[in-house]
Amino acid sequence: MQFVPCSLDTHGAAILAIFNEAIVTSTALYDYQPRPPESMVGWFKAKEAGHFPVIGAVDESGALLGFASYGSFRAWPAYKYSVEHSVYVHHAHRGKGIGRALLQELIKAAVMQQYHVMVGGIDMENRGSIALHESLGFTHAGTIRQAGFKFGRWLDLGFYQLLLETPARPVDG
């Protein structure tokens, strides 16, 4: 396995397939319908505009095993040192440490980009993701009860955060 920067042309279809599998089979995404292919254009443009990484884990043949990224936590300027991240692994490759490796790479990227807080929104029934985050030092920052409704039930959304030592000199404005 190696890590690569993802692009729309090379990885867009594989990322979309991973997203859509998660949408229809899990509460990892609180979407109801699979996303159309054209949605990836805007998704990649937003990542590029914000200088946000999209890190892919690929096998020796270049097939995408999973990906991780982050984006703005909230739109107001004072949140400029905080990002909200996500990690997704192809269903055939879960449980092999790929998610952990991707999240570790994402943490390195956040430090390099001088962010201070990483936030993950996790469905509270997703014990695997919660355990992964806690094992890497994330702490539970709060839960919004019944934040979503999917598969005929209310979903509780937990927030997990990791404080980073960066930036060395944060500034207002």
Side-chain angles (χ1 to χ4, degrees):
M1 178 178 68
Q2 66 179 14
F3 300 107
V4 297
C6 291
S7 69
L8 174 61
D9 291 340
T10 305
H11 306 101
I15 289 173
L16 180 63
I18 292 170
F19 272 144
N20 284 342
E21 187 275 335
I23 289 168
V24 300
T25 66
S26 77
T27 56
L29 284 160
Y30 284 12
D31 285 348
Y32 292 120
Q33 300 297 321
R35 297 175 182 179
E38 58 271 13
S39 70
M40 296 311 297
V41 174
W43 189 82
F44 271 99
K45 280 185 180 180
K47 298 298 180 183
E48 185 179 318
H51 305 286
F52 301 128
V54 180
I55 301 168
V58 297
D59 67 14
E60 60 280 348
S61 70
L64 189 70
L65 307 173
F67 68 96
S69 187
Y70 51 70
S72 299
F73 172 63
R74 299 194 76 187
W76 294 275
Y79 293 105
K80 67 184 172 186
Y81 295 115
S82 298
V83 290
E84 185 170 359
H85 69 278
S86 56
V87 177
Y88 295 96
V89 176
H90 186 280
H91 65 89
H93 300 286
R94 293 182 187 141
K96 300 176 183 177
I98 296 167
R100 168 180 290 283
L102 280 166
L103 187 50
Q104 289 171 323
E105 288 298 307
L106 205 58
I107 292 167
K108 290 178 195 174
V111 168
M112 286 180 56
Q113 289 189 298
Q114 297 293 293
Y115 288 109
H116 183 63
V117 178
M118 292 182 72
V119 177
I122 306 171
D123 184 83
M124 291 303 290
E125 292 181 6
N126 190 342
R127 296 291 172 210
S129 185
I130 291 169
L132 167 63
H133 281 77
E134 289 178 342
S135 74
L136 292 175
F138 284 79
T139 58
H140 184 244
T143 298
I144 301 174
R145 305 252 178 247
Q146 301 182 6
F149 187 83
K150 186 175 178 181
F151 300 137
R153 67 184 189 276
W154 291 108
L155 306 174
D156 296 340
L157 180 63
F159 286 98
Y160 287 77
Q161 73 174 62
L162 179 66
L163 296 178
L164 305 171
E165 297 295 322
T166 48
R169 292 186 177 89
V171 296
D172 286 330

